[in-house]
Amino acid sequence: MHQILDSRKEEQIAPLLRLGFRPFFQLGALFSALAMLGWLAQLNGWILLPGVGNPIWWHAHEMLFGFGAAIVAGFLLTAVQNWTAHPGVRGWPLALVVGLWAIPRCLLPWLGEGNPALMMMDLMWLPLCAWFLAKPIIMTRQWRNLFFVPLLVVLTLLNGASWLWHEEWITIEHLLITTVLLFTTLIAVMGGRVIPFFTARGTGQEKTAPLLWLERTALASLWLILLAWLLLPTQWATSTYMAPLYIVAAGFHLWRQQRWHLPSTLSHPLLWSLHLAYLFIPLGLLALGAQAAGLTITLSTASHLLSAGCMGTMILGMMTRVSLGHSGRALQVGRRMRSAFVLVIAAAVIRVVLPLLWPAYTLHGWNLSGLAWVGAYGLFVWVYAPILSSPRADGRPG
């Protein structure tokens, strides 16, 4: 390891800006709760945000490109320090990136989705993250992890397209589901790396040896689905001919996940939350397959298994674990975070099941789901804001 950090210089940096996970996790979680409250208030006619011409676009865009992308950025800008043994971005460069992320989040509801200045700022911060990520990876020739750089570029392109076509709902729905699948693919790649490893360490078992053909086939099937959504129109990506691909991909990911020994994690919230988050991948793929086969399930309902379920639960679980590990604290959670994990899973289940089985109560389902989400991420902010805003417990830099 050749990571050398000057403790005196580190102490001159505000704790919140000492590593990428700190501001992005804290502000991202807070923003997701506030944005969800704003969405529920608009949905029920309690408020009217003057700049939001398309409330559905604003809700989906901000939860994906505002909240989701922020957490991914915080995770990658933190992980790259471990991968390369080079100091991660910190101080004023990190503040610049966070500022470019935060300004569009705060002003979009007032200035609107047609504001070119907000669009330009929102399209700058992810490429900056990609640069800060790529530089140490290239310097140390960690080519395996360079994969995340073009992923951030593609995410930026999808974000730009969503700004440009925000008034065309058919196009926007396609772009947003493609983005959900991009996040899902990222989670599948990272989940295969960390979930078996974390499970082995947390339960004292040997790490499950991967079946290379299963790993490659499961990920290839998901990449193929993502590619189809990137290149094909909606009517092709949701055609009957695609249904077998969704169902086969779901089977491979379910097989992959069950090999990681979920039952052994039931006394470890930091582990079962990650396992259950991954379980939403095959469930979401099955739902997409059912929609393609002509069953009565909407694309929105199917995709929420991947967005609210997989993304929401995995993000909360990983934020909790990374925040503890990188702040020098034991990997243990209390009742509040256990409740948060239950709430975020409940948010996904309610969002899908209630409208599907009892369509007359769809609005009630959306409200209950949204409130459960606010509760889950509100609990995270309550518990971890003091931790993320203060120096490491063990006195080390970071």
Side-chain angles (χ1 to χ4, degrees), residues 214-226 245 249 253:
L214 177 60
E215 297 291 308
R216 291 169 180 169
T217 306
L219 293 177
S221 65
L222 198 49
W223 280 111
L224 191 57
I225 290 169
L226 174 60
L245 177 58
H253 282 277

Side-chain angles (χ1 to χ4, degrees), residues 259-282:
R259 297 186 71 251
W260 299 337
H261 306 301
L262 167 61
S264 68
T265 70
L266 296 182
S267 60
H268 303 275
L270 283 175
L271 296 178
W272 59 250
S273 59
L274 302 183
H275 281 261
L276 293 180
Y278 196 95
L279 190 57
F280 278 105
I281 294 180

Side-chain angles (χ1 to χ4, degrees), residues 66-84:
F67 162 64
I71 306 307
V72 169
F75 176 79
L76 292 177
L77 292 178
T78 301
V80 72
Q81 180 168 282
N82 292 340
W83 297 339
T84 65

Side-chain angles (χ1 to χ4, degrees), residues 5-82:
L5 293 173
D6 189 323
S7 296
R8 288 174 298 179
K9 290 183 179 179
E10 186 81 359
E11 289 170 1
Q12 295 173 3
I13 302 172
L16 192 62
L17 296 175
R18 291 184 184 176
L19 211 50
F21 78 98
R22 289 177 173 272
F24 276 122
F25 285 9
Q26 182 167 325
L27 297 178
L30 176 62
F31 171 72
S32 84
L34 294 176
M36 186 63 76
L37 284 174
W39 163 242
L40 293 179
Q42 287 186 102
L43 198 61
N44 290 276
W46 301 332
I47 63 169
L48 180 64
L49 296 174
V52 179
N54 184 343
I56 297 176
W57 175 87
W58 176 74
H59 165 66
H61 178 273
E62 293 302 275
M63 295 306 287
L64 292 174
F65 297 107
F67 162 64
I71 306 307
V72 169
F75 176 79
L76 292 177
L77 292 178
T78 301
V80 72
Q81 180 168 282
N82 292 340

Side-chain angles (χ1 to χ4, degrees), residues 1-313:
M1 295 286 286
H2 53 278
Q3 177 184 324
I4 301 174
L5 293 173
D6 189 323
S7 296
R8 288 174 298 179
K9 290 183 179 179
E10 186 81 359
E11 289 170 1
Q12 295 173 3
I13 302 172
L16 192 62
L17 296 175
R18 291 184 184 176
L19 211 50
F21 78 98
R22 289 177 173 272
F24 276 122
F25 285 9
Q26 182 167 325
L27 297 178
L30 176 62
F31 171 72
S32 84
L34 294 176
M36 186 63 76
L37 284 174
W39 163 242
L40 293 179
Q42 287 186 102
L43 198 61
N44 290 276
W46 301 332
I47 63 169
L48 180 64
L49 296 174
V52 179
N54 184 343
I56 297 176
W57 175 87
W58 176 74
H59 165 66
H61 178 273
E62 293 302 275
M63 295 306 287
L64 292 174
F65 297 107
F67 162 64
I71 306 307
V72 169
F75 176 79
L76 292 177
L77 292 178
T78 301
V80 72
Q81 180 168 282
N82 292 340
W83 297 339
T84 65
H86 281 262
V89 61
R90 56 204 345 104
W92 72 262
L94 179 57
L96 173 63
V97 176
V98 174
L100 287 171
W101 167 82
I103 291 172
R105 310 285 78 80
C106 296
L107 296 183
L108 199 157
W110 318 107
L111 301 183
E113 56 260 34
N115 188 288
L118 290 184
M119 181 179 73
M120 291 307 298
M121 278 188 284
D122 199 34
L123 296 180
M124 288 172 62
W125 73 275
L126 271 176
L128 268 178
C129 288
W131 164 251
F132 289 128
L133 183 65
K135 188 177 178 181
I137 289 176
I138 293 172
M139 287 173 60
T140 56
R141 300 186 178 184
Q142 294 271 344
W143 308 123
R144 178 172 179 250
N145 294 313
L146 196 61
F147 141 83
F148 296 105
V149 174
L151 185 143
L152 293 181
V153 174
V154 173
L155 196 57
T156 303
L157 294 174
L158 288 168
N159 189 15
S162 73
W163 277 92
L164 291 174
W165 288 297
H166 64 270
E167 294 180 344
E168 301 179 23
W169 174 242
I170 294 176
T171 302
I172 281 298
E173 185 179 40
H174 187 100
L175 287 169
L176 294 172
I177 292 176
T178 303
T179 306
V180 169
L181 287 167
L182 180 64
F183 279 112
T184 303
T185 304
L186 171 62
I187 289 171
V189 172
M190 291 303 299
R193 294 186 186 185
V194 303
I195 295 175
F197 174 69
F198 290 163
T199 300
R201 289 189 61 183
T203 62
Q205 304 176 93
E206 286 191 18
K207 179 176 175 289
T208 302
L211 295 176
L212 290 182
W213 73 267
L214 177 60
E215 297 291 308
R216 291 169 180 169
T217 306
L219 293 177
S221 65
L222 198 49
W223 280 111
L224 191 57
I225 290 169
L226 174 60
L227 193 62
W229 278 86
L230 281 168
L231 301 179
L232 301 178
T234 306
Q235 61 267 30
W236 291 11
T238 59
S239 71
T240 305
Y241 300 106
M242 284 287 291
L245 177 58
Y246 292 123
I247 294 168
V248 169
F252 281 126
H253 282 277
L254 186 60
W255 187 358
R256 187 188 194 210
Q257 193 272 339
Q258 63 86 27
R259 297 186 71 251
W260 299 337
H261 306 301
L262 167 61
S264 68
T265 70
L266 296 182
S267 60
H268 303 275
L270 283 175
L271 296 178
W272 59 250
S273 59
L274 302 183
H275 281 261
L276 293 180
Y278 196 95
L279 190 57
F280 278 105
I281 294 180
L283 292 177
L285 293 174
L286 282 174
L288 287 173
Q291 192 277 333
L295 300 184
T296 54
I297 180 171
T298 65
L299 275 176
S300 175
T301 299
S303 65
H304 271 82
L305 281 166
L306 299 175
S307 56
C310 175
M311 284 179 59
T313 309

